[in-house]
Amino acid sequence: MTISLAGAIGAAVGLYVGWLDWKILKGMLQAAETKNRQAGGDGGVAARHKAPLGALIFGVPVFGFPIIGYWAASQLAG
């Protein structure tokens, strides 16, 4: 199996976009937890399921976007 240059570039771009998306989603999760705690709650769903949500928020963008980027770039390049 050969790796195309276009696919590698697409995967790199996908990794960068996935990293940005992970940072944004992680911040949104922390903001939801903080907002609930400031309102007098226990942190809500974000605090109760922090570990699985964190793994999901990390895994899907950081591993999924490079795969999609590689596939899309290699298809576009021919």
Side-chain angles (χ1 to χ4, degrees):
M1 178 177 160
T2 61
I3 296 176
S4 70
L5 179 61
I9 292 170
V13 171
L15 181 63
Y16 178 69
V17 171
W19 176 78
L20 285 176
D21 190 42
W22 168 62
K23 293 297 243 181
I24 291 168
L25 291 174
K26 183 177 140 186
M28 290 175 64
L29 184 65
Q30 289 175 348
E33 181 182 354
T34 303
K35 183 177 178 181
N36 191 301
R37 288 190 193 279
Q38 287 177 347
D42 62 347
V45 175
R48 285 192 300 266
H49 304 290
K50 191 169 190 163
L53 282 174
L56 185 68
I57 285 173
F58 178 77
V60 171
V62 172
F63 294 117
F65 285 166
I67 293 170
I68 293 169
Y70 179 85
W71 176 77
S74 63
Q75 293 297 316
L76 286 172

